[in-house]
Amino acid sequence: MEESKIVLRSVFGKVGMKYYIQPCRDKNGNWPECVKQVDSFGNMIVSDAERNSGKPFIKVTETFTIEDGKTFDLTDPWDEARWEAIKNCPMIADSREQRDAKGNLIIDGDSKRYGRAELYIERPGVEVQKKVSKRQKIHDAESYIFDDPRGAEGRLKVARILGKHMSHASDSDIKDYLLEIASRDPDKIIKLYTGEDLELRTLFLDARDKGVIRSVSGIYVYGDGISLGGTIDVVISWMRDPRNKKLLESIKRDTYPDLEVSNPKALEKLNKENK
């Protein structure tokens, strides 16, 4: 049931601040269906069908007093109507971290407030779900690190791709570094372990270190000036392109020449693929 509740929080906290809000139009200038106009006597204008429908309607002139912690239970028809009536108010932000079209925080900017919002929506069930999901992701990321099928060598590769050169560090230190990344950004670790780019990124780093891939005027090139791209991500995309398969295998052979001697089967396979 927590997912069906909306709690309004004030940026000033529980200090007794009161906000007086009337029904608001949406971004297209339309009133919510539950909001009705009133006549000169202040009576709500509704049709007979609407009056007999049993649906809750809100006067366009009605004023709601909102304080920090005001809760709307969307399973209650009247609460749902009240929320629909005021949810488009510019004083209410979708979340504490909502940003405007330019990426500025609506409630708290770097040196000023970019919007009128002083209230923000808190969804208890959703917030709990986010925390559980984040914890699950951290757990998954940690599992990938501990259970790396390549062991210490695999963890060293991942650390290297993340920009950390730890060739002389112990496996424990590498684990500690990767686990720290997992706690802050589990998606980054999960993407490296589950994506298709781990080996390609390792190949790129090795090829660059050995001079097989060079940077010329800000562009990575191979061989006689074959352009691969200006950034690592572009180069990886180039490597993934099936049209570049033969050149990719050529880069692999130039980068790992011992593979041809130490692994005849691998060489035979490469030769067959390039025919």
Side-chain angles (χ1 to χ4, degrees):
M1 296 298 291
E2 290 296 319
E3 286 81 355
S4 63
K5 290 183 179 180
I6 286 178
V7 180
L8 289 182
R9 294 295 184 188
S10 169
V11 295
F12 302 108
K14 297 181 180 296
V15 294
M17 180 77 72
K18 296 182 185 295
Y19 302 88
Y20 302 96
I21 301 176
Q22 289 188 321
C24 299
R25 300 175 189 265
D26 63 21
K27 62 182 180 181
N28 297 316
N30 301 315
W31 293 105
E33 291 185 6
C34 61
V35 175
K36 299 299 178 182
Q37 298 294 331
V38 297
D39 59 23
S40 58
F41 297 102
N43 298 315
M44 187 185 303
I45 302 173
V46 292
S47 66
D48 289 338
E50 289 173 331
R51 186 178 292 106
N52 296 325
S53 68
K55 295 180 180 179
F57 295 105
I58 307 295
K59 291 182 179 180
V60 73
T61 55
E62 187 164 344
T63 300
F64 298 91
T65 302
I66 305 296
E67 296 183 73
D68 179 83
K70 172 63 178 177
T71 301
F72 295 89
D73 182 354
L74 302 186
T75 63
D76 179 275
W78 276 102
D79 251 10
E80 183 181 25
R82 295 181 186 107
W83 172 242
E84 285 295 318
I86 69 168
K87 71 177 185 180
N88 296 311
C89 177
M91 291 186 64
I92 302 174
D94 286 340
S95 69
R96 190 70 171 80
E97 297 79 26
Q98 185 183 354
R99 296 175 181 270
D100 62 18
K102 296 181 179 179
N104 299 312
L105 288 165
I106 287 179
I107 292 179
D108 297 317
D110 47 8
S111 60
K112 65 178 181 178
R113 179 166 294 167
Y114 291 89
R116 294 169 52 190
E118 291 189 12
L119 294 164
Y120 61 94
I121 300 171
E122 179 182 271
R123 296 176 175 85
V126 174
E127 296 304 317
V128 171
Q129 189 175 12
K130 283 182 180 179
K131 290 181 181 178
V132 172
S133 178
K134 176 72 178 292
R135 189 66 198 96
Q136 180 64 53
K137 284 185 177 182
I138 292 175
H139 175 270
D140 292 345
E142 291 174 341
S143 296
Y144 281 118
I145 294 168
F146 284 117
D147 301 334
D148 192 319
R150 298 156 302 178
E153 181 182 352
R155 287 185 283 270
L156 179 61
K157 285 184 178 180
V158 174
R160 188 184 178 202
I161 290 172
L162 290 171
K164 191 78 168 179
H165 297 280
M166 305 184 74
S167 56
H168 299 296
S170 68
D171 186 39
S172 295
D173 287 336
I174 296 172
K175 283 181 184 176
D176 185 62
Y177 167 72
L178 294 179
L179 291 172
E180 182 182 345
I181 299 295
S183 67
R184 290 189 281 108
D185 191 353
D187 287 329
K188 181 179 290 187
I189 296 294
I190 293 172
K191 183 178 180 181
L192 281 174
Y193 274 103
T194 60
E196 301 175 353
D197 295 348
L198 182 58
E199 294 303 327
L200 291 180
R201 289 183 182 274
T202 301
L203 170 62
F204 169 80
L205 293 175
D206 289 341
R208 186 184 63 180
D209 290 349
K210 294 180 180 181
V212 175
I213 291 177
R214 312 181 314 280
S215 178
V216 179
S217 299
I219 301 295
Y220 290 110
V221 298
Y222 166 66
D224 297 328
I226 299 173
S227 177
L228 307 180
T231 67
I232 296 178
D233 288 337
V234 173
V235 174
I236 299 303
S237 295
W238 181 93
M239 289 179 168
R240 284 202 304 261
D241 192 328
R243 294 172 297 180
N244 301 319
K245 184 176 182 180
K246 289 186 177 181
L247 281 173
L248 176 61
E249 297 302 345
S250 180
I251 293 174
K252 288 180 181 179
R253 289 194 297 272
D254 290 347
T255 305
Y256 309 118
D258 293 340
L259 176 66
E260 300 184 359
V261 176
S262 61
N263 194 344
K265 289 185 178 180
L267 175 60
E268 180 180 353
K269 181 180 178 182
L270 289 177
N271 289 333
K272 286 181 179 180
E273 289 179 348
N274 288 321
K275 286 182 179 179

